[in-house]
Coordinates of all heavy atoms in Angstrom, one line a residue:
M1 N 26.9 126.9 30.0 CA 25.6 126.9 30.6 C 24.6 127.4 29.6 O 24.7 128.6 29.1 CB 25.6 127.7 31.9 CG 24.3 127.9 32.5 SD 24.5 128.9 34.0 CE 23.5 128.0 35.1
T2 N 23.6 126.7 29.2 CA 22.6 127.1 28.2 C 21.5 127.8 28.9 O 20.8 127.1 29.7 CB 22.2 125.9 27.3 OG1 23.3 125.3 26.8 CG2 21.2 126.4 26.3
L3 N 21.2 129.0 28.6 CA 20.0 129.7 29.2 C 18.7 129.5 28.4 O 17.7 129.3 29.0 CB 20.3 131.2 29.3 CG 21.5 131.6 30.1 CD1 21.7 133.1 30.1 CD2 21.3 131.2 31.6
K4 N 18.9 129.4 27.1 CA 17.7 129.2 26.2 C 18.1 128.3 25.1 O 19.1 128.6 24.4 CB 17.2 130.5 25.7 CG 15.9 130.4 25.0 CD 15.4 131.8 24.7 CE 14.1 131.7 23.9 NZ 13.6 133.0 23.5
A5 N 17.4 127.3 24.8 CA 17.8 126.3 23.7 C 17.6 127.0 22.4 O 16.7 128.0 22.3 CB 16.9 125.1 23.8
A6 N 18.2 126.5 21.4 CA 18.1 127.0 20.0 C 16.7 126.6 19.5 O 16.3 125.5 19.6 CB 19.2 126.5 19.1
T7 N 16.1 127.6 18.8 CA 14.8 127.4 18.2 C 14.8 127.9 16.8 O 15.1 129.0 16.5 CB 13.7 128.1 19.0 OG1 13.9 129.4 19.1 CG2 13.5 127.4 20.4
G8 N 14.6 127.1 15.9 CA 14.5 127.5 14.4 C 15.9 128.0 14.0 O 16.9 127.4 14.1
G9 N 15.9 129.2 13.5 CA 17.1 129.8 13.0 C 17.8 130.7 14.0 O 18.8 131.3 13.8
V10 N 17.3 130.7 15.3 CA 17.9 131.5 16.4 C 18.8 130.6 17.2 O 18.5 129.5 17.6 CB 16.8 132.1 17.3 CG1 17.4 132.8 18.4 CG2 15.8 132.9 16.5
P11 N 20.1 131.1 17.3 CA 21.1 130.2 18.1 C 20.7 130.2 19.6 O 20.0 131.1 20.1 CB 22.4 130.9 17.8 CG 22.1 132.3 17.4 CD 20.7 132.3 16.8
A12 N 21.2 129.3 20.3 CA 21.0 129.1 21.7 C 21.6 130.2 22.5 O 22.7 130.8 22.1 CB 21.5 127.8 22.2
V13 N 21.1 130.6 23.6 CA 21.6 131.7 24.4 C 22.5 130.9 25.5 O 22.0 130.1 26.2 CB 20.5 132.4 25.2 CG1 21.2 133.5 26.1 CG2 19.7 133.2 24.2
V14 N 23.8 131.2 25.4 CA 24.7 130.5 26.2 C 25.5 131.5 27.1 O 25.9 132.5 26.6 CB 25.7 129.7 25.4 CG1 26.7 128.9 26.2 CG2 25.0 128.7 24.4
L15 N 25.7 131.1 28.4 CA 26.5 131.9 29.3 C 27.9 131.3 29.3 O 28.1 130.2 29.9 CB 25.8 132.0 30.7 CG 26.6 132.8 31.7 CD1 26.6 134.3 31.3 CD2 25.9 132.7 33.0
S16 N 28.9 132.0 28.7 CA 30.2 131.4 28.6 C 31.1 131.9 29.7 O 31.9 132.8 29.6 CB 30.8 131.8 27.2 OG 30.1 131.4 26.2
Y17 N 30.9 131.4 30.9 CA 31.6 131.8 32.1 C 33.1 131.3 32.0 O 33.9 131.9 32.7 CB 31.0 131.4 33.4 CG 30.8 129.9 33.6 CD1 31.8 129.2 34.2 CD2 29.6 129.3 33.1 CE1 31.6 127.8 34.4 CE2 29.4 127.9 33.3 CZ 30.4 127.2 34.0 OH 30.3 125.8 34.1
G18 N 33.3 130.3 31.3 CA 34.7 129.8 31.1 C 35.6 130.8 30.4 O 36.7 131.0 30.9
K19 N 35.1 131.4 29.4 CA 35.8 132.5 28.7 C 36.1 133.7 29.6 O 37.2 134.2 29.6 CB 35.1 133.0 27.5 CG 35.1 132.0 26.3 CD 34.4 132.6 25.1 CE 34.3 131.6 24.0 NZ 33.6 132.1 22.8
F20 N 35.1 134.0 30.4 CA 35.2 135.1 31.4 C 36.3 134.8 32.4 O 37.2 135.6 32.7 CB 33.9 135.4 32.1 CG 34.0 136.5 33.1 CD1 34.1 137.8 32.8 CD2 34.0 136.1 34.4 CE1 34.2 138.8 33.8 CE2 34.1 137.1 35.4 CZ 34.2 138.4 35.1
I21 N 36.3 133.6 33.0 CA 37.3 133.2 34.0 C 38.7 133.3 33.3 O 39.7 133.7 33.9 CB 37.0 131.9 34.6 CG1 35.7 132.0 35.4 CG2 38.1 131.3 35.4 CD1 35.2 130.7 36.0
Q22 N 38.8 132.7 32.1 CA 40.1 132.7 31.4 C 40.6 134.1 31.2 O 41.8 134.4 31.4 CB 40.0 132.0 30.1 CG 41.3 131.9 29.3 CD 42.3 131.1 30.1 OE1 42.0 130.0 30.7 NE2 43.6 131.5 30.0
T23 N 39.7 135.0 30.8 CA 40.1 136.4 30.6 C 40.6 137.1 31.9 O 41.6 137.8 31.9 CB 38.9 137.2 30.0 OG1 38.5 136.6 28.8 CG2 39.3 138.7 29.7
V24 N 39.9 136.8 33.0 CA 40.3 137.4 34.3 C 41.7 136.8 34.7 O 42.5 137.6 35.2 CB 39.2 137.1 35.4 CG1 39.7 137.4 36.8 CG2 37.9 137.8 35.1
V25 N 41.9 135.5 34.5 CA 43.2 135.0 34.8 C 44.3 135.6 34.0 O 45.4 136.0 34.5 CB 43.2 133.4 34.7 CG1 44.5 132.8 34.8 CG2 42.2 132.8 35.7
D26 N 44.1 135.7 32.7 CA 45.1 136.3 31.7 C 45.3 137.8 32.2 O 46.5 138.2 32.2 CB 44.5 136.3 30.3 CG 44.5 134.9 29.7 OD1 45.2 134.0 30.3 OD2 43.9 134.7 28.6
F27 N 44.3 138.5 32.5 CA 44.5 139.9 32.9 C 45.3 140.0 34.2 O 46.2 140.8 34.3 CB 43.1 140.6 33.1 CG 43.2 142.0 33.7 CD1 43.6 143.0 32.9 CD2 43.1 142.2 35.0 CE1 43.7 144.3 33.4 CE2 43.2 143.5 35.6 CZ 43.5 144.5 34.7
S28 N 45.0 139.1 35.1 CA 45.8 139.1 36.4 C 47.2 138.8 36.2 O 48.1 139.4 36.8 CB 45.2 138.0 37.4 OG 43.8 138.3 37.6
I29 N 47.5 137.9 35.3 CA 48.9 137.5 35.0 C 49.7 138.7 34.4 O 50.8 139.1 34.8 CB 49.0 136.3 34.1 CG1 48.6 135.1 34.9 CG2 50.5 136.1 33.6 CD1 48.4 133.8 34.0
V30 N 49.1 139.3 33.4 CA 49.7 140.5 32.8 C 49.8 141.7 33.7 O 50.9 142.3 33.8 CB 48.9 140.9 31.5 CG1 49.3 142.2 30.9 CG2 48.9 139.8 30.4
A31 N 48.8 141.9 34.5 CA 48.9 143.0 35.5 C 50.0 142.8 36.5 O 50.7 143.7 36.9 CB 47.5 143.2 36.2
F32 N 50.1 141.6 37.0 CA 51.1 141.2 38.0 C 52.5 141.4 37.4 O 53.4 141.9 38.0 CB 50.9 139.8 38.5 CG 51.9 139.4 39.6 CD1 51.8 140.0 40.8 CD2 52.9 138.5 39.3 CE1 52.8 139.6 41.8 CE2 53.9 138.2 40.3 CZ 53.7 138.7 41.5
S33 N 52.7 141.0 36.1 CA 54.0 141.1 35.4 C 54.4 142.6 35.3 O 55.5 142.9 35.5 CB 53.9 140.5 34.1 OG 53.6 139.1 34.2
I34 N 53.4 143.4 34.9 CA 53.7 144.8 34.7 C 54.0 145.5 36.1 O 55.0 146.3 36.2 CB 52.5 145.6 34.1 CG1 52.4 145.1 32.6 CG2 52.7 147.1 34.2 CD1 51.2 145.6 31.9
F35 N 53.3 145.1 37.1 CA 53.6 145.6 38.5 C 55.0 145.2 38.9 O 55.7 146.1 39.4 CB 52.5 145.0 39.5 CG 52.8 145.3 40.9 CD1 52.6 146.5 41.4 CD2 53.4 144.3 41.7 CE1 52.9 146.8 42.8 CE2 53.7 144.6 43.0 CZ 53.4 145.9 43.6
I36 N 55.4 144.0 38.7 CA 56.8 143.6 39.1 C 57.8 144.4 38.3 O 58.9 144.8 38.9 CB 57.0 142.1 38.9 CG1 56.0 141.3 39.9 CG2 58.4 141.6 39.1 CD1 56.3 141.6 41.4
A37 N 57.6 144.6 37.0 CA 58.5 145.3 36.2 C 58.7 146.7 36.6 O 59.8 147.3 36.8 CB 58.1 145.3 34.7
I38 N 57.6 147.4 37.0 CA 57.6 148.8 37.4 C 58.3 148.9 38.7 O 59.1 149.8 39.0 CB 56.2 149.4 37.4 CG1 55.7 149.6 36.0 CG2 56.2 150.7 38.2 CD1 54.3 150.0 35.9
K39 N 58.0 147.9 39.6 CA 58.6 147.9 40.9 C 60.2 147.8 40.8 O 60.9 148.4 41.5 CB 58.1 146.8 41.8 CG 58.4 146.8 43.2 CD 57.7 145.8 44.0 CE 58.1 145.9 45.5 NZ 57.3 144.9 46.3
A40 N 60.6 146.9 39.9 CA 62.1 146.7 39.7 C 62.7 148.0 39.1 O 63.8 148.4 39.6 CB 62.3 145.6 38.8
I41 N 62.0 148.7 38.2 CA 62.6 149.9 37.6 C 62.7 151.0 38.7 O 63.7 151.7 38.8 CB 61.7 150.4 36.5 CG1 61.8 149.4 35.3 CG2 62.0 151.8 36.0 CD1 60.8 149.7 34.2
N42 N 61.6 151.1 39.6 CA 61.7 152.1 40.6 C 62.8 151.8 41.6 O 63.5 152.7 42.1 CB 60.4 152.2 41.3 CG 59.3 152.9 40.5 OD1 59.6 153.6 39.6 ND2 58.0 152.6 40.8
T43 N 63.0 150.5 41.9 CA 64.1 150.2 42.8 C 65.5 150.5 42.2 O 66.3 151.1 42.9 CB 64.1 148.7 43.1 OG1 62.8 148.3 43.7 CG2 65.2 148.3 44.1
L44 N 65.7 150.3 40.9 CA 66.9 150.7 40.3 C 67.1 152.2 40.3 O 68.2 152.7 40.5 CB 66.9 150.1 38.9 CG 67.1 148.6 38.7 CD1 66.9 148.2 37.3 CD2 68.3 148.1 39.3
K45 N 66.0 153.0 40.0 CA 66.2 154.4 40.0 C 66.5 154.9 41.4 O 67.3 155.8 41.6 CB 64.9 155.0 39.5 CG 64.6 155.0 38.1 CD 63.4 155.7 37.7 CE 63.2 155.7 36.2 NZ 62.1 156.4 35.7
R46 N 65.9 154.3 42.5 CA 66.2 154.7 43.8 C 67.7 154.5 44.2 O 68.3 155.3 44.8 CB 65.3 154.0 44.8 CG 65.4 154.5 46.2 CD 64.4 153.9 47.2 NE 63.0 153.9 46.7 CZ 62.3 152.9 46.4 NH1 62.8 151.6 46.6 NH2 61.1 153.0 46.0
Q47 N 68.2 153.3 43.8 CA 69.6 153.0 44.0 C 70.5 154.0 43.3 O 71.6 154.4 43.7 CB 69.9 151.6 43.6 CG 69.4 150.5 44.4 CD 69.6 149.1 43.9 OE1 70.1 149.0 42.8 NE2 69.2 148.2 44.7
E48 N 70.1 154.4 42.1 CA 70.8 155.4 41.3 C 70.9 156.7 42.0 O 72.0 157.4 42.0 CB 70.1 155.6 39.9 CG 71.0 155.5 38.7 CD 70.2 155.6 37.5 OE1 69.5 156.7 37.3 OE2 70.2 154.6 36.7
Q49 N 69.8 157.1 42.6 CA 69.8 158.4 43.3 C 70.6 158.4 44.6 O 71.2 159.4 44.9 CB 68.3 158.8 43.6 CG 67.5 159.1 42.4 CD 66.0 159.4 42.7 OE1 65.6 159.1 43.9 NE2 65.3 159.8 41.8
E50 N 70.6 157.3 45.2 CA 71.4 157.1 46.5 C 72.9 157.1 46.3 O 73.6 157.4 47.2 CB 70.9 155.9 47.3 CG 69.5 156.0 47.8 CD 69.0 154.7 48.4 OE1 69.8 153.7 48.4 OE2 67.8 154.7 48.9
A51 N 73.3 156.6 45.1 CA 74.7 156.5 44.8 C 75.3 157.9 44.8 O 74.8 158.8 44.2 CB 75.0 155.8 43.5
P52 N 76.5 158.1 45.5 CA 77.1 159.4 45.5 C 77.7 159.7 44.2 O 78.3 158.8 43.5 CB 78.3 159.2 46.6 CG 78.5 157.7 46.6 CD 77.2 157.1 46.3
K53 N 77.5 160.9 43.8 CA 78.1 161.4 42.5 C 79.5 161.7 42.7 O 79.9 162.4 43.6 CB 77.3 162.6 42.0 CG 75.8 162.2 41.7 CD 75.1 163.4 41.2 CE 73.6 163.0 40.9 NZ 72.8 164.1 40.5
P54 N 80.4 161.3 41.7 CA 81.8 161.6 41.8 C 82.0 163.1 41.6 O 81.2 163.8 41.0 CB 82.4 160.8 40.7 CG 81.3 160.6 39.7 CD 80.1 160.5 40.5
E55 N 83.1 163.6 42.3 CA 83.4 165.1 42.1 C 83.8 165.3 40.7 O 84.5 164.5 40.0 CB 84.6 165.4 43.0 CG 84.2 165.4 44.5 CD 85.3 165.9 45.3 OE1 86.1 166.7 44.8 OE2 85.4 165.6 46.5
P56 N 83.4 166.5 40.1 CA 83.8 166.7 38.7 C 85.3 166.9 38.6 O 85.9 167.4 39.6 CB 83.0 168.0 38.4 CG 82.7 168.6 39.7 CD 82.6 167.5 40.7
A57 N 85.8 166.6 37.5 CA 87.3 166.7 37.3 C 87.6 168.2 37.2 O 86.8 169.0 36.8 CB 87.7 166.1 36.0
P58 N 88.7 168.6 37.8 CA 89.1 170.0 37.8 C 89.3 170.5 36.3 O 89.7 169.8 35.4 CB 90.4 170.1 38.5 CG 90.9 168.7 38.5 CD 89.8 167.8 38.4
S59 N 89.0 171.8 36.1 CA 89.1 172.3 34.8 C 90.6 172.4 34.5 O 91.5 172.3 35.3 CB 88.5 173.7 34.7 OG 89.2 174.6 35.5
K60 N 90.9 172.8 33.2 CA 92.3 172.9 32.8 C 93.0 174.0 33.6 O 94.2 173.9 34.0 CB 92.5 173.2 31.3 CG 92.1 172.0 30.5 CD 92.3 172.4 29.0 CE 92.0 171.2 28.1 NZ 92.2 171.4 26.7
E61 N 92.3 175.1 33.8 CA 92.8 176.2 34.6 C 93.2 175.8 36.0 O 94.2 176.1 36.5 CB 91.9 177.4 34.6 CG 91.7 178.0 33.3 CD 90.6 179.2 33.3 OE1 89.9 179.2 34.3 OE2 90.5 179.9 32.3
E62 N 92.2 175.1 36.7 CA 92.5 174.7 38.0 C 93.6 173.7 38.1 O 94.5 173.8 39.0 CB 91.2 174.0 38.6 CG 90.1 175.0 38.8 CD 88.8 174.2 39.2 OE1 88.7 173.0 39.1 OE2 87.9 174.9 39.8
A63 N 93.7 172.8 37.1 CA 94.8 171.8 37.1 C 96.2 172.6 37.0 O 97.2 172.3 37.7 CB 94.6 170.8 36.0
L64 N 96.2 173.6 36.1 CA 97.4 174.3 35.9 C 97.8 175.1 37.1 O 99.0 175.2 37.5 CB 97.4 175.2 34.7 CG 97.3 174.5 33.3 CD1 97.0 175.5 32.2 CD2 98.6 173.8 33.1
L65 N 96.8 175.7 37.7 CA 97.1 176.6 38.9 C 97.6 175.7 40.1 O 98.5 176.0 40.8 CB 95.8 177.3 39.4 CG 95.5 178.5 38.5 CD1 94.1 179.1 38.9 CD2 96.5 179.5 38.5
T66 N 97.0 174.5 40.2 CA 97.4 173.5 41.3 C 98.8 173.1 41.0 O 99.7 173.1 41.9 CB 96.5 172.3 41.3 OG1 95.1 172.8 41.5 CG2 96.8 171.4 42.4
R67 N 99.1 172.8 39.7 CA 100.4 172.3 39.4 C 101.5 173.4 39.6 O 102.5 173.2 40.2 CB 100.4 171.9 37.9 CG 101.7 171.2 37.5 CD 101.6 170.7 36.1 NE 102.8 170.0 35.7 CZ 103.0 169.5 34.6 NH1 102.1 169.6 33.6 NH2 104.2 169.0 34.3
F68 N 101.1 174.7 39.2 CA 102.0 175.8 39.5 C 102.2 176.0 41.0 O 103.3 176.3 41.4 CB 101.4 177.0 38.8 CG 102.3 178.3 39.1 CD1 103.5 178.4 38.5 CD2 101.8 179.2 40.0 CE1 104.3 179.5 38.7 CE2 102.6 180.4 40.2 CZ 103.8 180.5 39.6
G69 N 101.1 175.9 41.7 CA 101.3 176.0 43.2 C 102.2 175.0 43.8 O 103.0 175.3 44.6
I70 N 102.1 173.8 43.4 CA 103.0 172.7 43.9 C 104.4 173.0 43.5 O 105.3 172.9 44.3 CB 102.5 171.3 43.4 CG1 101.2 171.0 44.0 CG2 103.5 170.3 43.7 CD1 100.5 169.8 43.4
C71 N 104.6 173.4 42.2 CA 105.9 173.6 41.7 C 106.6 174.8 42.4 O 107.7 174.7 42.8 CB 105.9 173.9 40.2 SG 105.5 172.4 39.2
S72 N 105.8 175.8 42.7 CA 106.4 177.0 43.3 C 106.7 176.7 44.7 O 107.7 177.2 45.3 CB 105.4 178.2 43.2 OG 104.2 177.9 43.9
S73 N 105.9 175.9 45.4 CA 106.2 175.6 46.8 C 107.4 174.7 46.9 O 108.2 174.8 47.8 CB 105.0 174.9 47.5 OG 104.8 173.6 46.9
Q74 N 107.6 173.8 45.9 CA 108.8 173.0 45.9 C 110.1 173.9 45.6 O 111.1 173.7 46.3 CB 108.7 171.9 44.8 CG 107.7 170.8 45.1 CD 107.6 169.8 44.0 OE1 108.0 170.1 42.9 NE2 106.9 168.7 44.2
K75 N 110.0 174.8 44.7 CA 111.1 175.7 44.5 C 111.4 176.5 45.8 O 112.5 176.8 46.1 CB 110.8 176.7 43.4 CG 110.8 176.0 42.0 CD 110.5 177.0 40.9 CE 110.5 176.4 39.6 NZ 110.1 177.3 38.5
N76 N 110.3 177.0 46.4 CA 110.5 177.8 47.7 C 111.2 177.0 48.7 O 112.1 177.5 49.4 CB 109.2 178.4 48.2 CG 108.6 179.5 47.3 OD1 109.4 180.1 46.5 ND2 107.4 179.7 47.4
N77 N 110.8 175.7 48.9 CA 111.5 174.9 49.8 C 112.9 174.7 49.5 O 113.8 174.7 50.4 CB 110.8 173.5 49.9 CG 109.4 173.6 50.6 OD1 109.2 174.6 51.4 ND2 108.5 172.7 50.4
T78 N 113.2 174.5 48.2 CA 114.6 174.2 47.8 C 115.4 175.5 48.0 O 116.5 175.4 48.5 CB 114.6 173.9 46.3 OG1 113.8 172.8 46.0 CG2 116.0 173.6 45.8
I79 N 114.9 176.7 47.7 CA 115.6 177.9 47.9 C 115.8 178.1 49.4 O 116.9 178.5 49.8 CB 114.8 179.1 47.2 CG1 114.8 178.9 45.7 CG2 115.4 180.4 47.7 CD1 113.9 179.9 45.0
Y80 N 114.8 177.9 50.2 CA 114.9 178.0 51.6 C 116.0 177.1 52.2 O 116.8 177.6 53.0 CB 113.6 177.7 52.3 CG 113.6 177.8 53.8 CD1 113.7 179.0 54.5 CD2 113.7 176.6 54.6 CE1 113.7 179.1 55.8 CE2 113.8 176.7 56.0 CZ 113.8 177.9 56.6 OH 113.9 178.0 57.9
K81 N 116.1 175.9 51.7 CA 117.1 175.0 52.1 C 118.5 175.5 51.7 O 119.5 175.4 52.5 CB 116.9 173.6 51.6 CG 115.8 172.9 52.2 CD 115.6 171.5 51.6 CE 114.3 170.8 52.2 NZ 114.1 169.5 51.5
L82 N 118.6 176.0 50.5 CA 119.9 176.5 50.0 C 120.4 177.7 50.9 O 121.5 177.8 51.3 CB 119.8 176.9 48.6 CG 119.7 175.7 47.6 CD1 119.5 176.3 46.2 CD2 121.0 174.9 47.6
V83 N 119.4 178.6 51.1 CA 119.7 179.8 51.9 C 120.1 179.4 53.3 O 121.0 180.0 53.9 CB 118.5 180.8 51.9 CG1 118.7 182.0 52.9 CG2 118.3 181.3 50.5
S84 N 119.3 178.5 54.0 CA 119.6 178.2 55.3 C 120.9 177.4 55.5 O 121.6 177.5 56.4 CB 118.4 177.3 55.9 OG 118.3 176.1 55.2
N85 N 121.3 176.6 54.4 CA 122.5 175.9 54.5 C 123.7 176.9 54.3 O 124.8 176.7 54.9 CB 122.6 174.8 53.4 CG 121.7 173.6 53.8 OD1 121.4 173.4 54.9 ND2 121.3 172.9 52.8
S86 N 123.5 177.9 53.5 CA 124.7 178.8 53.3 C 124.9 179.7 54.4 O 125.9 180.2 54.7 CB 124.4 179.7 52.0 OG 123.2 180.5 52.2
N87 N 123.9 179.9 55.3 CA 124.0 180.7 56.5 C 124.7 180.0 57.6 O 125.2 180.6 58.5 CB 122.6 181.2 57.0 CG 122.0 182.3 56.1 OD1 122.7 182.9 55.3 ND2 120.7 182.4 56.2
K88 N 124.9 178.7 57.6 CA 125.5 178.0 58.6 C 127.0 178.0 58.6 O 127.8 178.3 57.9 CB 125.1 176.5 58.6 CG 123.6 176.4 59.1 CD 123.3 174.9 59.1 CE 121.8 174.7 59.5 NZ 121.4 173.4 59.5

């Protein structure tokens, strides 16, 4: 849309609303894309937080103590059976 025609060495005054509309459309597309990307990232983070965390593996000391406890109870049971069988 020409607001003022060109005179002599002065260029015409033109209202370029087509460029403005194109810029608004481009901005809207980019803004919507960024919005969807951030929304997806937040959804993934929320799922990560909701997932139960696995129990930590027992330390070497705990594993050895547990193993010793199991072995000692098995020995006690065996000894108990031997003693109870010999009393009969």
Side-chain angles (χ1 to χ4, degrees):
M1 170 183 228
T2 304
L3 298 177
K4 186 175 181 183
T7 55
V10 178
V13 177
V14 180
L15 182 61
S16 302
Y17 60 89
K19 288 182 182 180
F20 175 74
I21 292 173
Q22 181 65 39
T23 303
V24 169
V25 170
D26 289 345
F27 174 79
S28 299
I29 291 170
V30 171
F32 182 72
S33 300
I34 291 173
F35 172 77
I36 294 298
I38 290 174
K39 191 172 181 178
I41 290 170
N42 286 339
T43 303
L44 291 174
K45 283 186 179 180
R46 189 175 307 119
Q47 289 175 353
E48 228 176 61
Q49 290 174 352
E50 291 174 0
K53 295 181 180 177
E55 292 185 25
S59 66
K60 288 183 180 180
E61 291 175 350
E62 290 174 344
L64 289 173
L65 289 173
T66 305
R67 188 172 181 188
F68 178 72
I70 292 171
C71 291
S72 65
S73 65
Q74 287 174 350
K75 286 180 184 178
N76 288 341
N77 288 339
T78 306
I79 293 171
Y80 177 75
K81 287 178 185 176
L82 291 174
V83 170
S84 64
N85 286 338
S86 65
N87 290 339
K88 289 183 181 181

